[in-house]
Amino acid sequence: MITKFNHVAIVVPDLNAAKNKYKEVLGANVSEISNYIEHGVSVVFVELENTKIELMHPYGENSPISKFLENNKNGSIHHICIEVKDIKKAVEKLKLNGVRILGDETPKKGAHNKPVVFLHPKDFYGTLIELEQE
Ligand code: CO
């Protein structure tokens, strides 16, 4: 069902500082900051040869990651993203196996404009998993 690793997302307290640190200290290829109003996040993409890291910061009033940053003031890994071939089939199989899907269980367009769902971290060893259709 799962195929490729897509990204790891890290919530950071200062997106500009984090962007510069990845660029200057680690010599990484970093994107400009993109604001996703509908997702309530600002994101910097750190491009690696085989994958990417997404640095995230809350955007707007009701960001879904505000609480997370409050609880992790220095930042922390927020989720990992793995690709699947068919996200609807994946959701069906997960539900049959008692895995909870966050929200209303319907795949939504994510930051890469592809359908995504998030799996309940309590059902996957304390890790929030984003599944994205390839
Ligand atoms: Co993500």
Side-chain angles (χ1 to χ4, degrees):
M1 181 161 87
I2 57 173
T3 54
K4 279 181 247 159
F5 187 79
N6 189 286
H7 64 268
V8 58
I10 302 173
V11 172
V12 300
D14 180 334
L15 198 49
N16 246 312
K19 177 187 171 201
N20 289 333
K21 196 166 201 178
Y22 269 81
K23 190 176 170 180
E24 308 302 335
V25 180
L26 295 178
N29 247 333
V30 297
S31 73
E32 290 306 313
I33 296 173
S34 306
N35 298 316
Y36 295 92
I37 302 158
E38 70 279 23
H39 298 294
V41 293
S42 299
V43 182
V44 166
F45 298 95
V46 179
E47 297 290 345
L48 304 174
E49 276 175 30
N50 60 342
T51 188
K52 54 188 175 288
I53 302 170
E54 296 183 5
L55 306 173
M56 302 196 298
H57 188 80
Y59 180 87
E61 295 286 292
N62 298 310
S63 172
I65 60 169
S66 296
K67 192 96 203 145
F68 185 85
L69 184 57
E70 240 174 79
N71 294 335
N72 301 273
K73 289 195 168 44
N74 295 319
S76 188
I77 291 180
H78 183 262
H79 67 267
I80 62 170
C81 176
I82 311 171
E83 295 180 20
V84 292
K85 278 208 167 63
D86 183 331
I87 200 156
K88 286 201 176 129
K89 271 193 194 150
V91 165
E92 284 320 305
K93 185 170 181 192
L94 286 159
K95 279 162 65 181
L96 282 175
N97 285 278
V99 175
R100 286 164 289 178
I101 312 291
L102 298 187
D104 67 3
E105 302 183 344
T106 339
K108 302 267 178 350
K109 285 248 160 89
H112 314 121
N113 237 355
K114 292 176 177 173
V116 303
V117 291
F118 286 89
L119 314 184
H120 201 301
K122 287 206 173 128
D123 296 338
F124 265 100
Y125 312 103
T127 305
L128 178 59
I129 297 178
E130 176 181 25
L131 292 181
E132 179 177 285
Q133 184 149 293
E134 12 174 275

